[in-house]
Amino acid sequence: IVQFPVRAGRKIMCFSGAMAYMSDGMKMDVQLAGFKKTFGRLAGGGSLFQVTYTNETGDDNHYVSMTPDYPGVIVPINMSVTGKIIALRDSFLCATVGVGNEMTDISAGFNPASGPISFCCSGIDFIVQTVENGEWAFLMAMGTVIKKTLQSGESILVDGDSILCFESSVTVDVRAVGNIAAICCGGEGIFNTELSGPGTIWLQSMSIDKMRRLFPPTVNKSGGGGDGGDGGGGE
């Protein structure tokens, strides 16, 4: 949970269902914010409505808290010093609203990979979530999160499941893991994802997609009507 102290007149924005608790002086407002922005939010994994919580009292001692949709960690990103962020779908949790109602823009974009092979094999979805502008944005992640700034020309090889987000200045490509033995027995598939600077990247040790693959949902099959099992012997 992340709890925000909210001064008089200040706001916190989020998607539907993110609020965990708030003080009595906070007021909730729900809006669509235009067709284009609404469509972008939905495509990026967000909710239909954008929610804001405002301290409409004259008292600075009010608060609101937000919680992720799944057990994990909350990653703060200072958008005033960070460029446009490319994130996994459904990563955005909430954001502070700046002075003058400067909002963080949440939308959708296409996989920024540099070629068709990297587009298909980088481990990044066809549609991504984009985050830009505003003050502080907070993303949802799982496991341990590492932040690393890549210099111009510097590259890092990562597992596609480890990516949380990165600045739009970062280039995405893929590189073969090695020879046939490495491909068949290394456990990393055919390609590693190559991220190249300049720009900042955020990596997580356990993505929600990886967790879902490790623990797939089970379907309980119950018996139908039938003839009641072993009953009904004949002559």
Side-chain angles (χ1 to χ4, degrees), residues 127-163:
I127 300 293
V128 296
Q129 192 170 64
T130 62
V131 183
E132 59 183 325
N133 302 324
E135 288 188 334
W136 284 88
F138 296 81
L139 304 187
M140 300 179 287
M142 294 189 68
T144 301
V145 176
I146 294 177
K147 175 183 176 183
K148 182 174 179 60
T149 299
L150 302 175
Q151 304 301 318
S152 180
E154 181 182 2
S155 298
I156 184 172
L157 296 177
V158 303
D159 184 285
D161 285 330
S162 299
I163 299 172

Side-chain angles (χ1 to χ4, degrees), residues 109-205:
F110 293 109
N111 185 327
S114 57
I117 296 179
S118 54
F119 186 88
C120 297
C121 303
S122 62
I124 300 173
D125 293 337
F126 177 71
I127 300 293
V128 296
Q129 192 170 64
T130 62
V131 183
E132 59 183 325
N133 302 324
E135 288 188 334
W136 284 88
F138 296 81
L139 304 187
M140 300 179 287
M142 294 189 68
T144 301
V145 176
I146 294 177
K147 175 183 176 183
K148 182 174 179 60
T149 299
L150 302 175
Q151 304 301 318
S152 180
E154 181 182 2
S155 298
I156 184 172
L157 296 177
V158 303
D159 184 285
D161 285 330
S162 299
I163 299 172
L164 173 63
C165 64
F166 49 87
E167 286 187 283
S168 59
S169 57
V170 172
T171 302
V172 179
D173 206 342
V174 294
R175 187 187 300 180
V177 298
N179 56 25
I180 297 299
I183 292 173
C184 296
C185 306
E188 295 295 333
I190 301 175
F191 298 102
N192 283 325
T193 304
E194 181 180 29
L195 302 177
S196 301
T200 302
I201 63 174
W202 288 260
L203 304 175
Q204 58 185 335
S205 61

Side-chain angles (χ1 to χ4, degrees), residues 5 16 48 143 158 162 210:
S16 301
L48 178 62
V158 303
S162 299
K210 187 175 182 179

